[in-house]
């Protein structure tokens, strides 16, 4: 499996979830990894990204609430989501962009994991 995202679910507003994404070594190793989301009727957007060395960047809408991290030994990237809001409801995906600013990716998009935040 190239990318396998998990950890989504139904949570109340203000709650927390931790997403995980296991990746094939050929995709994960040495590459930027990102979390993306797509809400119903909207385009997929970047949520957060992280370099192999741990440098991070976040969308303004999640700064201070979400934390991206990675375990290079396990080829896994995580997204800790706190203070969730109904507008965070979306399918969340992980992928490896071909560069920090790239919009092309090393892997096909997986099925993602659904996060639903109730008000």
């Amino acid at each position: 499996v190239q990318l396998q995202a998990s950890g989504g679910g139904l949570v109340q507003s203000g709650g927390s979830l931790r997403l995980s994404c296991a990746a094939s070594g050929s995709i994960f190793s040495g590459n930027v990894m990102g979390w993306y989301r797509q809400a119903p009727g909207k385009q997929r957007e970047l949520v957060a990204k992280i370099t192999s060395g741990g440098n991070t960047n976040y969308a303004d809408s999640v700064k201070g609430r979400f934390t991206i991290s990675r375990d290079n030994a396990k080829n896994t990237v995580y997204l800790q989501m706190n203070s969730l809001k109904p507008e965070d409801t979306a399918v969340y995906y992980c992928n490896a962009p071909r560069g920090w600013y790239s919009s092309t990716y090393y892997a096909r998009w997986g099925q993602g994991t659904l996060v639903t935040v109730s008000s």
Side-chain angles (χ1 to χ4, degrees), residues 39-84:
K42 295 187 177 181
Q43 290 189 332
R44 185 179 290 139
E45 63 176 358
L46 173 70
V47 175
K49 55 186 176 181
I50 185 169
T51 66
S52 58
N55 292 324
T56 59
N57 180 264
Y58 297 90
D60 288 343
S61 59
V62 307
K63 280 181 182 176
R65 300 188 298 122
F66 291 10
T67 302
I68 189 171
S69 61
R70 63 192 287 163
D71 186 331
N72 292 334
K74 295 182 178 180
N75 294 341
T76 301
V77 61
Y78 304 97
L79 187 68
Q80 177 66 44
M81 306 187 295
N82 298 328
S83 302
L84 282 160

Side-chain angles (χ1 to χ4, degrees), residues 18-38:
R18 188 192 194 207
L19 307 183
S20 299
C21 174
S24 301
S26 60
I27 293 171
F28 187 92
S29 183
N31 292 324
V32 176
M33 293 297 299
W35 280 100
Y36 305 80
R37 68 185 181 187
Q38 187 168 19

